[in-house]
Amino acid sequence: MTHGDFVYLTFMRVLISERAIKKKVKQLAALLAREYKGTDCVFVGVLYGGFVFLADLVRELHRYDLHPAIDFVRLTSYQGTESTGTIRIYKDVELDLTAKRVLIVDDILDTGMTLKFLKEHLSQKGATDVKLCVLLDKKGRRKVDITPDYVGFEIGNYFVVGYGLDCDHRYRNLPYIAIYEG
Ligand code: IMP
Ligand code: MG
């Protein structure tokens, strides 16, 4: 065992287990199948954090014979400008969203600034509707008015890692959500 493994096994507290996430992903997939089955839909993953959740979600959807088109965006928010919320698009969607039903899939809704910006941005591309699905919702941290359409778990004000969520680009690969304690 490397020193790195030892550190995370010792100090990370599991908040949401792998088993609980798997169960939730199945439940969400069933709801999404009901909403999107038979429609021309595009699921937009938000890099990097949303990639694990999106991958698991769409693989569940094959059970419902639902095969959404998949695209990704990458956004960045400037450090230290949390109150003004300066968001930049690093990578935009590449598919034409005209007349498509769009679902944004991300790891976590925190202040809500990034996803509010993205929702407005994608809505301007001629989509029929743009909805939002997040695995985690830190409801108490919201700074702007945005309500997710699909939520896995509401969590408190912890800094969490795993299942796509990172600390300095690491720990995205954990199959569970853990509270990062440094
Ligand atoms: P916001 O909702 O605009 O404040 O930004 C949400 C983004 O901040 C998420 O997509 C994550 O990339 C990041 N983020 C927020 N909370 C956490 C956390 O607890 N762990 C890791 N990243 C987080
Ligand atoms: Mg993110």
Side-chain angles (χ1 to χ4, degrees), residues 32-82:
L32 292 173
R34 207 179 302 166
E35 167 124 33
Y36 291 103
K37 176 101 185 190
T39 71
D40 200 357
C41 58
V42 181
F43 283 19
V44 177
V46 185
L47 294 172
Y48 296 104
F51 86 102
V52 178
F53 182 38
L54 178 68
D56 282 351
L57 211 48
V58 295
R59 279 179 296 177
E60 276 302 316
L61 291 176
H62 92 275
R63 298 180 198 284
Y64 300 91
D65 199 27
L66 174 57
H67 311 284
I70 294 166
D71 206 339
F72 288 96
V73 292
R74 193 182 155 214
L75 307 161
T76 53
S77 59
Y78 287 118
Q79 202 76 38
T81 56
E82 234 189 341

Side-chain angles (χ1 to χ4, degrees), residues 140-182:
R141 292 256 308 159
R142 205 76 86 251
K143 286 190 178 164
V144 295
D145 182 25
I146 183 164
T147 308
D149 301 280
Y150 296 93
V151 177
F153 305 92
E154 282 183 17
I155 64 166
N157 186 19
Y158 308 107
F159 189 81
V160 291
V161 293
Y163 205 72
L165 291 136
D166 72 306
C167 180
D168 206 14
H169 299 284
R170 297 189 66 189
Y171 305 115
R172 294 192 198 274
N173 58 319
L174 299 179
Y176 48 83
I177 301 287
I179 296 173
Y180 185 75
E181 287 161 344

